[in-house]
């Protein structure tokens, strides 16, 4: 597969944001969104998204911490990733 076009990214981002808005208690939406940001070379945005207290109002669980570790590592923040993952 090739790179996703900016229009495609925007459309996919909008769908994920809508899902998160429509199902605020479902943790799958934010986890998907963070992984999507990492996979589309926007790890810095994933870190920002995961650090936002509104993303997981009851705090991050083990799955969210694993994705945070991946996001931090992909964003070049290896030491921070190590702290989150250990």
């Amino acid at each position: 597969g090739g790179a996703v076009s900016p229009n495609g990214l925007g459309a996919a981002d909008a769908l994920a944001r809508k899902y998160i808005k429509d199902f605020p208690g479902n943790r799958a939406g934010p986890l998907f969104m963070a992984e999507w940001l990492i996979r589309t070379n926007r790890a810095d945005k994933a870190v920002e998204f995961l650090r936002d207290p509104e993303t997981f109002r009851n705090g991050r669980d083990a799955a969210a911490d694993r994705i945070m570790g991946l996001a931090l590592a992909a964003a070049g923040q290896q030491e921070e990733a190590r702290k989150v993952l250990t």
Side-chain angles (χ1 to χ4, degrees):
V4 180
S5 75
N7 288 343
L9 279 178
D13 289 356
L15 282 173
R17 282 193 303 272
K18 181 176 179 349
Y19 181 88
I20 292 167
K21 181 178 177 233
D22 290 349
F23 302 97
N26 188 326
R27 298 178 77 71
L31 293 173
F32 171 82
M33 183 67 172
E35 191 164 339
W36 166 247
L37 290 168
I38 295 165
R39 289 176 181 261
T40 54
N41 299 315
R42 298 178 289 163
D44 55 332
K45 296 283 189 197
V47 170
E48 183 180 312
F49 176 73
L50 290 166
R51 283 188 174 150
D52 182 344
E54 291 297 310
T55 299
F56 293 108
R57 292 185 181 165
N58 295 323
R60 291 192 319 256
D61 60 8
D65 281 345
R66 281 191 300 275
I67 293 176
M68 173 61 99
L70 292 172
L72 287 163
Q77 300 178 42
Q78 277 69 24
E79 187 58 36
E80 287 296 313
R82 210 173 348 271
K83 288 178 188 175
V84 170
L85 294 172
T86 56

